[in-house]
Every structure is written in structure tokens, then in C-alpha cells.
Amino acid sequence: MTNFMSIFASGSYPATQDTAKDPLEKVHLSFMKWTMNVNKSTSNTAVWGDTGRYPLAIELTSQVYSYLGRLEGLDKEGCSSLVRHAYAEQRDLNLLWFSRLESTKNTVKQLTGGSDISNPLEISEAMKTLFVQQWNKERKLNRKLGFYNLIKASFGCETYLSISLRPQQTRRLAQLRTSSHQYNIETGRHGM
């Protein structure tokens, strides 16, 4: 359980730039860039937007909070199982994984207008909404994504990634869209 909860231990969600600091998310981003066949230096914001994928911690939110709910249910029932005792001890010690889950829940509550969200699916959807809002801010502020902003208005998987194209065609489209190509306009040699 500790490894599973370590995804949340970074405490960096839902910001898109901070997600790249998490070791598991680095692998996730590398895989998405490899799938798109673009450079490692391609903007993470553009990769998130074109793939329509959320960080792993956000994808797992519903499962994590469902499990937490089951643990809390065992505690309320006064169950004598070892799991209940381990949970109660870790909660009482306010261990990092527990405090981060509570902190994330409180942050989501504050950012969504103060309504108490206890349903795991609602927490997950709220985190996805917050992630997309942050993605939109970063997309608009990133000067390198000028062309991308003209052609990408909403978060979601782009068609060119799901149709049958040759890998080179997919790569060229992705590079053009995300401004990670080597054309003169991008390398600064135009107009000379």
C-alpha cells in the first residue's frame, strides 16, 4: 500500500508542470512522448493535451479514496481485523500518506467552492477539472505553444493519434502541432 500511496505523496497535483517531478509520472510522460514519437524536450503541456491523458495520480484517485472509505468504514464498525488496527494506528500517527490524502481532499474542497466532496468519483472528477483548468492556463502562457493554441481549444485525445498512420506521419504531425520540429521558423533561422 505504501508504494501505491506514494503517488499521492508528492503532493504536487493537479498542476501540470509539477507532475513531471514525480518519478512515476516521468515514466508516464516518457511513454506518451515515445508513443507520439516526439523529442523528450517537447512541451509536457502539449503532450497532456494531445493525448487527453491525466496524470496517474489523478487516474487512480477514485480507487484510492474508495479504499480509504472502506478503511474508515471498518474503523467505524469497530472491526477487530488487523487492517483496521493498522489503519487506525497510521491515521493516529498522521503518517505522510494519510495526511496527504486529507490535504488533497481539503484542497479540492476549497478549489471547488467549499462543498464537501466525499464520493470518490466526485473527488476524481473535481481533480480532473482542476487539472484541465491548470492545463489551459499553462497552454496559454507558454509562448512556444503559439501555433498549438490556435489549433487546440480543448483538452482531449487528438484523432491523429488513434487513426492508422505510419509512425513517421504521426511524428511529423505531433512535432508540427507541438512546435518541436526542426523547421527554420522553430530554430530561429528564418528571415535571414
Side-chain angles (χ1 to χ4, degrees), residues 27-77:
V27 173
H28 189 215
L29 275 166
S30 294
F31 176 74
M32 288 188 295
K33 289 178 181 183
W34 175 79
T35 302
M36 291 174 66
N37 207 2
V38 294
N39 297 328
K40 292 178 183 179
S41 61
T42 301
S43 168
N44 293 343
T45 304
V47 172
W48 290 121
D50 267 16
T51 60
R53 302 268 322 197
Y54 295 96
L56 295 173
I58 292 176
E59 292 287 352
L60 296 172
T61 301
S62 180
Q63 292 172 316
V64 169
Y65 282 100
S66 290
Y67 184 66
L68 182 64
R70 286 195 303 276
L71 290 174
E72 289 171 347
L74 287 174
D75 197 37
K76 288 177 185 172
E77 294 171 5

Side-chain angles (χ1 to χ4, degrees), residues 3 19 32 73 88 101-102 109 113 123 130 132 142 149 157 165:
N3 289 337
T19 55
M32 288 188 295
L101 285 175
E102 289 299 312
K109 180 180 176 180
I123 295 170
L130 294 170
V132 171
N142 191 334
N149 289 327
C157 185
L165 293 175

